[in-house]
Amino acid sequence: MIKFIQTLPTILLLIIATSLEVSGDAIIRKCIYEHTGVARIVFALSGMVLLFGYGFFLNLSPVEFGRIVGLYIATLFIVWQVISYLTFKSIPSLPVIVGGTLIVVGGLIVTFWQTK
């Protein structure tokens, strides 16, 4: 199964990883501020499983870790904005859009700029 997953395109692995990370973070946040008792425990465990999945999928990519981080950060920013909107109805402000554009461009430079 792991060999099959490793054959997926790197960008797909990153989208899965960032979706799991951001979703896990959102669930943990909701768990802390919106739930108590058994519901809090269930949400906390769910968030932990998603965050484990993020680490697992991120590290399945065959790309060198130092290069994948740039593309990961760019993907993370985009997925974070989508999940933030879907979960919290948060629309990014102009500074977030401008800063996010710089994050995405920087991530692409880190990943794809050939030094040799």
Side-chain angles (χ1 to χ4, degrees), residues 92-99:
S93 63
L94 183 58
V96 171
I97 292 169
V98 171

Side-chain angles (χ1 to χ4, degrees), residues 12-58:
L12 183 57
L13 290 172
L14 289 176
I15 290 171
I16 292 169
T18 56
S19 297
L20 290 170
E21 180 185 8
V22 174
S23 298
D25 285 346
I27 287 174
I28 294 290
R29 182 174 189 81
K30 287 177 119 357
C31 154
I32 292 169
Y33 294 107
E34 297 179 16
H35 298 284
T36 60
V38 174
R40 180 176 278 175
I41 293 168
V42 169
F43 279 101
L45 291 173
S46 299
M48 288 168 42
V49 168
L50 291 170
L51 290 170
F52 171 81
Y54 132 74
F56 183 79
F57 276 91
L58 177 62

Side-chain angles (χ1 to χ4, degrees), residues 30-112:
K30 287 177 119 357
C31 154
I32 292 169
Y33 294 107
E34 297 179 16
H35 298 284
T36 60
V38 174
R40 180 176 278 175
I41 293 168
V42 169
F43 279 101
L45 291 173
S46 299
M48 288 168 42
V49 168
L50 291 170
L51 290 170
F52 171 81
Y54 132 74
F56 183 79
F57 276 91
L58 177 62
N59 288 294
L60 284 177
S61 174
V63 178
E64 175 192 336
F65 190 75
R67 294 183 71 81
I68 197 70
V69 170
L71 191 55
Y72 173 75
I73 294 299
T75 306
L76 176 64
F77 176 79
I78 293 167
V79 171
W80 201 287
Q81 296 312 308
V82 170
I83 299 292
S84 181
Y85 176 75
L86 294 174
T87 305
F88 304 108
K89 303 296 183 227
S90 174
I91 298 172
S93 63
L94 183 58
V96 171
I97 292 169
V98 171
T101 300
L102 295 172
I103 290 168
V104 170
V105 169
L108 295 172
I109 289 170
V110 168
T111 302
F112 297 110

